[in-house]
Amino acid sequence: MPRRNRRCRCSPGACPPPQSGFASKDEVTTLCDIPEGEDAVIVEIMAGRRLNARLSSMGIRPGKKVVKKTGFWRGPMTIEIDGTIYALRWGEAGKIIVKRK
Amino acid sequence: MSTDEIGKIKVALAGNPNVGKSVIFNAITGAHQHVGNWPGVTVEKKVGKRRHGEANLEVVDLPGTYSLTAYSLDEVVTRDYIINEKPDVVVQVVDATNLERNLYLTTQLMELGARVVIALTMCDIAEERGDSIDVKKLSHLIETPVVETRAYEGKNVGTLLDEVVREATRKEHHHHTVGYGKELEEKITTVERLLEKDVPLAEKMPLRWSAVKLLEGDEEVTKRIAGSTGEKEILKIQDETPFELIEAEIADKRYEAIDAVLSQCHRRGERKLTMSDMMDRVFTNKWLGIPLFLALIWAAFQITFTAGAPLMELIDMGVGALAGLVTENVPGWFGFLLGDGIIGGVGAVVIFLPNILLLFLMLALLEESGYMARAAFIMDKLMYSLGLHGKSFIPLLMGFGCSVPAVMATRTIDDKKDRFITILVTPFASCGARLPVYIILAGTFFGRNAGNIIFGLYALGVIVAVLSAKLFRSTLFRGSPAPFVMEMPPYRAPKPRAVFRSTWNNGRMYLKKAGTIILAGVVVVWILASFGITPGGEFGMVDYGGEESLTAHIGKFMEPLFKPLGFDWKIAVALIFGFVAKEIVIGSLGVLYGAGEEGLSAALASDPAFNPAVALGLMVFVLLYMPCMAVVATIKKETGSWGWTAFSIAYSTGIAWLLAFAAVKIGILIGIGG
Ligand SMILES: Nc1nc2c(ncn2[C@@H]2O[C@H](COP(=O)(O)OP(=O)(O)OP(=O)(O)O)[C@@H](O)[C@H]2O)c(=O)[nH]1
Ligand SMILES: [Mg+2]
């Protein structure tokens, strides 16, 4: 898996707290760090080979606009891509790198 | 081609999960496959037949899958079927509201060389959203027949089948595929050449597809080339290939091709706030989600219990009258068998039909509305902290109906450990067959609190399930749950016809079971209760259900085990036969108490061996003890291991004994011990 410097590297279970006041505009962060109701564009998914392929076949892939819908604190969250809702866990969301508009 | 050459056509229904494959299958074959609004309803292939014109179609409904790289067992079923069985035509069922993602699977099916016909579903929803799809153009661009269906209304199925037959009988077949760019194509060609060298193998495997899979590092396909002529060189190429990058590039190229097509024939409507969005804001809200879930389930059980009661009494009266008629008019032992045995036993089970119907009605509403997937979502955090997967909650909920499909539903869980844990704990979710026991006992001994007691038992089942999961996770299956990613279907107003059908199917199965296996069970119990060793040491008819009967001998033999719980030999016998089917617990008690006429409830209330504490213990025991025969067989099949099956039986019975003991003792402490 390519390693890269990232602002937030979330591993399942242990995630840094969201930065105060959320990430600023035009910033590259993870799905964890955008507030509910906001949208962003997926830049990269760094979930390892297996999960990357799985997500991509489900339509969760770089270049897509994603809207964060609801979330359970550090638990699961729902997101919307192309009108379809997906649920994923905080840990996985931390591996989805997005850019806020 | 002349018509008599058509003969048999093998048709597979494939597609993403929850796109409506089973609805189409039912419409084509007239079957009653289970349909529900959440991904992962179908987990096993199902064959049906249909004659269309001159052609005999053998149609197969398959589990949903997002791609041909299988991650979970249900997806393996689909992939293996399509690759190994080589159906003549693959009907890919495509959800019109998410064409892009659905067509991703199409690119793979085409790469495989399958003859594809696309059946569009959910067109009504796409229209509602304001999307427009030029179906003709789409069909033209991908050079594949596309049929808009409305299978849930029974429309356009004929047109779809016309296309299937035409596609199957067409002589030449264009092999469409996505181009992956010069560099990759060169590699693909090299691997194809190497594969071709092994002629028998090349005949079995679609070349291009296999080459692509090998470059993606697919383990299954790599295994299949073992020992072939080109193996060494292919492995060498694989060594030099960065699988992850290739995989990403291939996915990109496929989506690029799809986008190129869709940009010419598909326009998305303006995204509006839908009813579904608003409902999600409430139901998946972090504060409201769990309380609402509990309230919904509680209401569902109250309805099942209270609304069923009047109807149940009506049937009960009917059964009583029938039993009376029989005892008065049919003389001799046959009258006994009919009155005490069959009517008393089977009748005791049949009277719960209204409750069973209501229970399955609630489950059908849960499944059809789209709330099922939300329940998995809401519970994921809790389940995760207990070492389980959010998806594991779906089998638990399904288990309220019947544990057999619930255990099978675990196939959608990709990780083996997650899946085994779920299989082992799913039978603790109280199935419909256990409900009659609670209704009788709670109704007889807890009066107005019966509804709450029953809800408490269901809750206890789930609590034991999740705590056991935690225990297994920290001992037998160490590790942490696999990633949770799941599609949430849109909420939909349940279609009355679908709900009615699903409810009635289950009701019918309940009656059928009562007329077959339960009937057989109670007849056996009746025989055992009627015969025995007479004081003279001879075998023959004895005092019915008395000390000399065989039942008493069996019961007495088991007594040491059940004595601490306060269960007498009648209960012991009922519990033993409950292994055949849990309804038989009630059926056997009905037989042993000869309860046809006065009703089982009255008979139990007047038996000094029973009191509220014993009743509570018995309910807890029935809730938790070893699953019935059918479930045991399913556990064996799904785990593939007698060891785990035996463990499941031993563990559940052990827990049942301990908690039933605790329940009886607590009952005595709080003064309901008779
Ligand atoms: N509105 C609408 N609903 C549909 C249509 N086709 C199917 N449904 C509903 O979609 C849901 C899923 O249908 P199924 O047939 O169970 O889907 P499936 O593809 O077999 O799903 P899995 O077995 O889970 O892969 C059910 O609630 C159906 O009633 C359609 O054309 N329009
Ligand atoms: Mg299905």
Side-chain angles (χ1 to χ4, degrees), chain B residues 35-37 124-125 152 275 279 283 360-372 490-503:
Chain B
V35 164
N37 185 22
D124 48 329
I125 300 180
Y152 61 100
M275 191 65 183
M279 288 175 73
F283 285 118
F360 281 105
L361 173 68
M362 298 298 145
L363 280 174
L365 290 174
L366 179 72
E367 291 189 60
E368 274 293 298
S369 60
Y371 189 70
M372 193 70 148
Y491 291 100
R492 240 173 260 149
K495 295 186 194 66
R497 220 175 68 163
V499 171
F500 175 79
R501 182 180 258 185
S502 161
T503 307

Side-chain angles (χ1 to χ4, degrees), chain B residues 15-24 26 34-43 61-65 93 120-125 149-152 367-369 492 495 498:
Chain B
N16 286 176
N18 203 42
V19 294
K21 297 178 293 297
S22 298
V23 169
I24 292 192
N26 289 345
H34 193 152
V35 164
N37 185 22
W38 47 283
V41 178
T42 309
V43 292
D61 186 21
L62 294 169
T65 183
V93 183
L120 277 186
T121 55
M122 313 285 177
C123 301
D124 48 329
I125 300 180
T149 61
R150 310 234 166 201
Y152 61 100
E367 291 189 60
E368 274 293 298
S369 60
R492 240 173 260 149
K495 295 186 194 66

Side-chain angles (χ1 to χ4, degrees), chain B residues 93-134:
Chain B
V93 183
V94 165
D95 177 347
T97 62
N98 198 342
L99 284 177
E100 190 182 284
R101 189 199 65 198
N102 278 256
L103 290 178
Y104 185 76
L105 179 64
T106 318
T107 61
Q108 298 182 42
L109 290 171
M110 286 178 172
E111 200 158 81
L112 205 56
R115 295 183 175 216
V116 179
V117 172
I118 286 178
L120 277 186
T121 55
M122 313 285 177
C123 301
D124 48 329
I125 300 180
E127 268 161 36
E128 223 174 87
R129 290 192 184 176
D131 297 359
S132 71
I133 303 167
D134 185 340

